[in-house]
Amino acid sequence: MNSSFLKSNNKLLDIPENWQSLQLGNILKLDYGKPLPARERNPNGQYPVFGSGGQIGLHSKPLTKAPVIVVGRKGSIGSIFYSSKPCWSIDTTYYIDDFPYYLNPKYVYFFLKIIDLEKLNRAASIPGLGRDDVYAFGIPIPYPNNPIFSLDVQNRIVSRIESWLGELKGDHQLLDKIRRDTSRFREMKLEEIFENLPSARQPLMDVIESPPRNGWSPKCDDNPNGTPVLKLGAVLRFQYNPDEFKRTSLPTDPNAHYWLKPGDVLISRSNTIELVGHAAIYSGTPFPCIYPDLMMRIRVEQSKADSHFLVYWLQSKEVRHFIQSRASGASPTMKKINQGHVCNIPFPVISVEEQHQLVHYLDSIQSEVNEMLRTMQQDAKLLERLEQSILEKAFQGQL
């Protein structure tokens, strides 16, 4: 071995003697994608439209030639997609559709997947990928002084990579199916419980201390000594994430309504139609903590309702239909509910003791589901590491 190339995690990988590491910027060009709003796309078109997160639609004409590699530039930076047909690459992406005759485009695609481009974020607020950062990487080229033989070697490497990754694809699909089945199992258990409840309902207002209130969204500067303010992502899919917060240095009022207490129920009042109305219980971390204007806080009457039962109940088909049928807003991607909607959410007329018992049972189900999901997450990480190992060996000439 007499040469090497560097991944963005500073890991040096050796390459064979007759290979050479060539800077990407000297042999390829990342072109900027162009805007194509959803309203201007042709959903019946034959050309895929790519954003930084993958294919987002179709259009009647392409921007690129084929084959093409699309690279996430803003948002999901460093995401890599390959299309064997022309496509439209929108303005949150770069694209590569002009390749030297001695380079297999799929060889470049697999190389870009190994160098961890997502770690090259240079923007402070919105993730961004600079072209010069990508251009600085060296791609291992086998036998660069013999282009025809080099291309033949690349073709064989690509074929072997595809063969290995094709075997792993079935494992990924199986994991995805098990994950979906696990989620459906949980949903079925929830509905099984809720369908057997008495039919009598009361407005949620009857079991909470006072009408829900919106929080406060101060300007945040993320000063490490600032006051924590929850992000909207802290309450997502009916789970509380204590890591989703930012900080403000603005002065606060110790007597204001926007301070959280452990056990408070938080409900998102603005989000996509699928996510609006999601709720979770504030765990007490971070503390002290402010909740934002895009959330409402609910404090239940402990003698009338169990907070944990309320969060489970808000996931029921009955409540999701109630919320989604009332959510409104001019934006198709952002819907809102108000305090009146939340106050009138139908709540089962059952004793708090019955609620405690149901929570105990549902918690046991949730615990089983969480354990299965953790196991699947570990398996998925093992598959990812195996894929990376395959790619590393490929670009070290070991496949």
Side-chain angles (χ1 to χ4, degrees):
M1 302 284 181
N2 67 350
S3 187
S4 59
F5 71 98
L6 183 67
K7 292 177 66 184
S8 63
N9 60 6
N10 293 325
K11 181 178 181 180
L12 278 169
L13 298 180
D14 292 323
I15 58 179
E17 276 188 27
N18 294 316
W19 293 30
Q20 186 177 348
S21 184
L22 303 182
Q23 269 198 322
L24 286 172
N26 293 331
I27 54 178
L28 295 169
K29 182 184 177 185
L30 290 165
D31 286 307
Y32 285 95
K34 293 185 179 180
L36 186 65
R39 64 180 180 277
E40 297 178 12
R41 299 172 201 155
N42 180 355
N44 299 314
Q46 59 178 311
Y47 301 105
V49 179
F50 282 94
S52 61
Q55 185 174 339
I56 55 175
L58 296 168
H59 194 46
S60 53
K61 63 179 182 179
L63 173 66
T64 76
K65 297 181 291 186
V68 56
I69 298 171
V70 178
V71 180
R73 182 176 72 87
K74 292 286 186 182
S76 301
I77 73 160
S79 52
I80 312 292
F81 308 99
Y82 182 89
S83 177
S84 58
K85 61 190 298 186
C87 72
W88 192 287
S89 175
I90 70 167
D91 55 337
T92 60
T93 68
Y94 299 117
Y95 67 89
I96 307 169
D97 67 351
D98 192 10
F99 300 89
Y101 72 95
Y102 55 84
L103 271 185
N104 181 323
K106 269 283 184 74
Y107 184 84
V108 178
Y109 164 73
F110 285 127
F111 174 72
L112 291 175
K113 288 181 72 68
I114 198 180
I115 59 176
D116 307 324
L117 293 178
E118 66 272 13
K119 296 183 179 178
L120 298 179
N121 177 26
R122 298 177 66 89
S125 55
I126 301 175
L129 177 67
R131 288 195 293 184
D132 288 342
D133 290 329
V134 182
Y135 289 159
F137 282 99
I139 179 171
I141 303 296
Y143 307 95
N145 296 324
N146 188 340
I148 295 176
F149 183 56
S150 176
L151 189 58
D152 181 61
V153 173
Q154 292 172 46
N155 292 343
R156 280 185 275 140
I157 289 172
V158 167
S159 177
R160 289 171 184 170
I161 290 174
E162 291 181 328
S163 176
W164 278 99
L165 296 188
E167 293 184 22
L168 294 182
K169 185 177 180 181
D171 295 326
H172 278 295
Q173 291 173 337
L174 179 59
L175 271 181
D176 288 340
K177 181 180 184 303
I178 295 173
R179 189 179 292 112
R180 290 193 300 270
D181 290 346
T182 301
S183 296
R184 279 198 291 267
F185 167 75
R186 178 185 177 279
E187 291 168 5
M188 288 171 57
K189 286 296 181 181
L190 281 174
E191 285 309 309
E192 182 182 295
I193 292 292
F194 297 146
E195 286 174 0
N196 289 312
L197 292 177
S199 60
R201 300 287 183 264
Q202 59 191 320
L204 184 62
M205 187 63 215
D206 288 358
V207 299
I208 59 179
E209 293 181 357
S210 57
R213 293 194 67 174
N214 300 352
W216 177 46
S217 294
K219 183 177 180 180
C220 291
D221 54 11
D222 283 332
N223 184 317
N225 296 316
T227 304
V229 181
L230 292 184
K231 298 179 183 178
L232 190 57
V235 175
L236 196 62
R237 295 180 178 84
F238 297 95
Q239 299 287 326
Y240 176 69
N241 185 347
D243 297 324
E244 284 288 311
F245 69 91
K246 45 193 175 181
R247 293 180 182 272
T248 182
S249 295
L250 292 180
T252 57
D253 179 357
N255 299 313
H257 75 279
Y258 47 69
W259 296 105
L260 287 169
K261 294 180 181 179
D264 283 348
V265 177
L266 293 167
I267 182 167
S268 63
R269 70 177 189 88
S270 181
N271 212 317
T272 64
I273 193 65
E274 293 82 13
L275 300 177
V276 68
H278 280 209
I281 296 176
Y282 170 60
S283 67
T285 303
F287 188 85
C289 188
I290 294 169
Y291 70 100
D293 178 62
L294 291 179
M295 292 182 191
M296 287 181 269
R297 181 194 60 209
I298 302 170
R299 287 178 177 158
V300 304
E301 288 276 4
Q302 297 298 317
S303 61
K304 298 179 180 179
D306 182 309
S307 298
H308 294 274
F309 177 79
L310 172 58
V311 172
Y312 280 124
W313 175 247
L314 292 174
Q315 301 173 58
S316 68
K317 290 181 180 178
E318 180 179 337
V319 174
R320 292 306 298 159
H321 175 74
F322 180 91
I323 288 176
Q324 292 178 350
S325 63
R326 288 160 176 77
S328 61
S331 170
T333 59
M334 190 62 70
K335 299 299 181 182
K336 294 183 178 181
I337 55 174
N338 59 39
Q339 295 168 357
H341 295 145
V342 174
C343 287
N344 286 299
I345 288 174
F347 189 78
V349 181
I350 59 174
S351 70
V352 71
E353 288 77 17
E354 289 177 275
Q355 295 177 45
H356 292 331
Q357 292 173 5
L358 292 173
V359 166
H360 180 73
Y361 174 71
L362 290 171
D363 280 349
S364 67
I365 297 295
Q366 185 66 61
S367 180
E368 291 180 31
V369 168
N370 289 344
E371 183 58 35
M372 287 188 282
L373 292 175
R374 273 193 295 270
T375 300
M376 284 183 279
Q377 188 176 29
Q378 291 171 354
D379 291 342
K381 287 181 178 178
L382 285 173
L383 287 176
E384 288 174 7
R385 285 199 290 270
L386 184 54
E387 287 181 357
Q388 281 295 303
S389 176
I390 290 170
L391 292 175
E392 287 182 8
K393 288 183 182 299
F395 289 98
Q396 291 178 287
Q398 296 178 18
L399 277 192

